[in-house]
Amino acid sequence: EAGVTQSPTHLIKTRGQQATLRCSPISGHTSVYWYQQALGLGLQFLLWYDEGEERNRGNFPPRFSGRQFPNYSSELNVNALELEDSALYLCASSFNREYSNQPQHFGDGTRLSIL
Amino acid sequence: QKEVEQDPGPLSVPEGAIVSLNCTYSNSAFQYFMWYRQYSRKGPELLMYTYSSGNKEDGRFTAQVDKSSKYISLFIRDSQPSDSATYLCAIGGSEKLVFGKGTKLTVNP
């Protein structure tokens, strides 16, 4: 069974540009979560999508946004990139929240570097 | 007070040692508890998942939860160099999952 896949593996941008990161969940999973893992800060929750809708959002500015498609894949968009956005962005998926407390399974992330 | 606290280490042990990793949490509403292992340049990999107090064993790994003390532990028996990684605890409720910052473990041959 294929795990969570993320693309691209590495993305290099300059300040002010926009970045789009993509995630395909495990087959059968309908919830997708996005996290930022910056050096020394641990995993910070960004967004949670379930059945195409945004269910929860972490303490990040509105320039971090995303969406979930009908096939449950998801993309994360970061506008007006800043140097501090340099981090590993991780996507995780789980079964529908109706099965509450389902564990999340992670992809290997997209490393975003801002020059 | 942080929702989840985890000693970042680093922790260095000889091969074969028993390793103890710990987290504390503040929110008594948290219902389920996980441990992840993260190798360098990889995403976190789920190791253990439990939602009740007590012990859960899987091979060389034992997860222990004490809800009364808001304290969770992961024990690794007969540690191997391949166990060298960062270990993250994750504690959550119905709408939220909070991660510890991770403990970096090195097992020396």
Side-chain angles (χ1 to χ4, degrees):
Chain A
E1 178 186 271
V4 176
T5 57
Q6 292 187 245
S7 64
T9 303
H10 198 170
L11 192 55
I12 300 173
K13 295 285 186 178
T14 57
R15 286 180 60 193
Q17 285 189 314
Q18 186 244 5
T20 298
L21 288 64
R22 295 180 175 83
C23 172
S24 292
I26 291 172
S27 178
H29 286 186
T30 60
S31 279
V32 171
Y33 312 81
W34 288 95
Y35 293 87
Q36 182 194 67
Q37 189 175 37
L39 200 62
L41 293 180
L43 265 75
Q44 303 294 314
F45 169 69
L46 269 165
L47 290 158
W48 169 22
Y49 291 95
D50 183 45
E51 298 284 358
E53 293 188 17
E54 183 180 302
R55 299 296 186 180
N56 202 359
R57 182 182 182 86
N59 189 25
F60 280 84
R63 58 190 186 84
F64 287 83
S65 65
R67 54 180 171 165
Q68 186 178 34
F69 299 100
N71 67 352
Y72 305 114
S73 67
S74 176
E75 67 179 30
L76 173 70
N77 295 293
V78 188
N79 294 319
L81 287 164
E82 301 178 2
L83 294 176
E84 65 196 40
D85 298 333
S86 294
L88 181 67
Y89 288 83
L90 290 160
C91 173
S93 72
S94 75
F95 287 108
N96 190 289
R97 67 179 186 143
E98 288 182 356
Y99 298 101
S100 62
N101 302 339
Q102 291 297 308
Q104 297 177 21
H105 298 267
F106 285 84
D108 283 336
T110 292
R111 184 159 297 281
L112 178 61
S113 300
I114 312 303
L115 303 179
Chain B
Q1 184 182 13
K2 291 183 179 178
E3 288 187 290
V4 176
E5 301 223 39
Q6 182 176 10
D7 186 342
L11 185 60
S12 182
V13 302
E15 183 175 354
I18 296 175
V19 176
S20 172
L21 304 165
N22 311 293
C23 285
T24 58
Y25 62 98
S26 58
N27 189 340
S28 58
F30 284 151
Q31 303 159 354
Y32 59 104
F33 312 90
M34 288 174 271
W35 285 95
Y36 287 84
R37 176 176 63 195
Q38 187 174 19
Y39 292 116
S40 180
R41 299 186 180 281
K42 291 287 190 178
E45 170 194 5
L46 181 67
L47 276 179
M48 301 288 283
Y49 167 62
T50 184
Y51 47 86
S52 58
S53 281
N55 294 351
K56 181 177 181 179
E57 192 173 315
D58 184 0
R60 296 185 296 111
F61 299 90
T62 299
Q64 188 175 80
V65 174
D66 182 347
K67 289 187 178 181
S68 62
S69 301
K70 300 190 186 69
Y71 188 89
I72 68 170
S73 299
L74 178 71
F75 298 96
I76 307 174
R77 290 185 300 280
D78 188 25
S79 57
Q80 302 295 309
S82 59
D83 294 327
S84 297
T86 297
Y87 290 80
L88 302 154
C89 64
I91 301 175
S94 59
E95 299 284 335
K96 190 175 184 179
L97 185 63
V98 182
F99 285 81
K101 288 192 175 183
T103 300
K104 185 171 183 180
L105 171 68
T106 300
V107 181
N108 301 298

